[in-house]
Amino acid sequence: MKYTTSLHRIIAIASALTLTCVQFFLLYNTYELKNNHYLFAEKRIITDEYLGAIKNDKVMPGGANILDNHIMGNLPRLEALYKMDKQAFNKLGQRVCDSAFRDLRKANNIDSLMEAIMQRNHLDRKLRYASTIEFIEIAFRRDQYVPLYHQNGHNEWIDPQIQTKAGIRIAGTLDNLEPNTLARHVTVSSSTDNSYSISFSLYVDTYDRKQTILRLMMPTFLLSLLSVGGVVILNFVTFRNWIRQKKLSEMKSDFINSITHEFHTPLSAIIVANRTMQNDKILSNKDSLLPLTEVVQRQAERLKTLISQTLGITTMNKLSLHVERSSVHHLLEELLLDYRLNATESESEVTLTLNKNATRDVVLLDPFWFTTIILNIFDNAVKYNTRESKHIIVTTSSDKKALHIKIADNGIGINKEIRKHIFDKFYRGGSGVHNRVKGLGLGLFYVNRAIDSHKWKLDLQSEEGTGSTFTISIPVLEQKTLL
């Protein structure tokens, strides 16, 4: 698979996203770790003090007396109902628990207990807490517990306003009753007949838990952000340098392609002329030899000009023109002579015809680039022609403002879709003969650039299967200028 710029972008973006996801995962795990260990020291102090305050007690100082009065005082009735009517037992059990919970909330002294713990241990943070009861069970026989209340049970006879997912709220205002805020969970039971078991918890947290954790993580977060940003910037700089190197490589390729394309015609003409001059009949006839030497001279001069303009051919953004007053008819005669000489090497028959109908043929032009225009149009007319006999007809005409050079061929023609891109660099058509013909797709690109640089006009008329006609319109010189 060819490694393209788009593929590079996709890989770079995918890598950046992967790195970002990894960093996010690491940051999230760091947050969770700090969240789980948050207030570790404070919780240990509060837990030790709390357990010391409720030693031999339940939920809070004095809580055991309240629970004993309600539960143990109703134990005979509960036992009787348990044996006779389970539904009535559940109702009475929940009502007993509801009364006990109500009295515990009224007698709440955990606020003063927490305040005393904080002052005694110099805890400066603003803390919130919550005290909850998860379940109460009774045992008529040793270790055979029957639930009166359970946080996950159906508690229709208990005040719903004091019920939470973590159990019955006895005291405190903390809402986040999660495992990471749990300070202490206590279960108290007695392995005797006619006893009860209770489970309760104390939750502790600060008012700004998330903000504090995020502040503690700020150095880690900034380091992670810098690392991701550094990788993205490094990737961008590497990609930009790669694009520059790629453009330099393309420029080198263009340079080689341009030289190959432009050097081909004059070299072929020189080789054919030289081969012809080696013929004994030509050597013995000076009149036949002179035109061939002129061909070699013209093509050698063209090669010399090509060498000096190779950089201009490669960039082709702005041509350096050396215009002079020239006779188009004279230039065309020389061009057709040279091209006929090249055509003798072709496997198929090529016929070139020049009709000089223009009455005014002297214009300002760059002979080198004019030659480039005509030769490239000729090359295309021959290459994109599947007939055995290939015809190229050059006709000149003139009016008051311009000289018109019409070059018509009997080739394969150009459809509308291809005509939209025919002057694009390296464009060689879509399919068929375009794929079979060797070339770089530079010929008509050069033609268009050279005509634009001269500020001439180019018109293309073509019908698929019939042929193409290129018409070049060149402003003629005023009569006063000619004089």
Side-chain angles (χ1 to χ4, degrees), residues 2 15 47 99 112 118 130 165 194 279 306 357-358 408 455 481:
K2 188 177 179 181
S15 300
T47 298
S99 299
S112 58
M118 292 176 65
K165 291 182 179 180
N194 298 319
N279 188 292
L306 276 170
N357 298 333
K455 297 183 179 179
T481 305

Side-chain angles (χ1 to χ4, degrees), residues 194-207:
N194 298 319
S195 61
Y196 68 95
S197 172
I198 182 171
S199 175
F200 56 94
S201 299
L202 179 67
Y203 294 85
V204 179
D205 200 5
T206 60
Y207 284 85

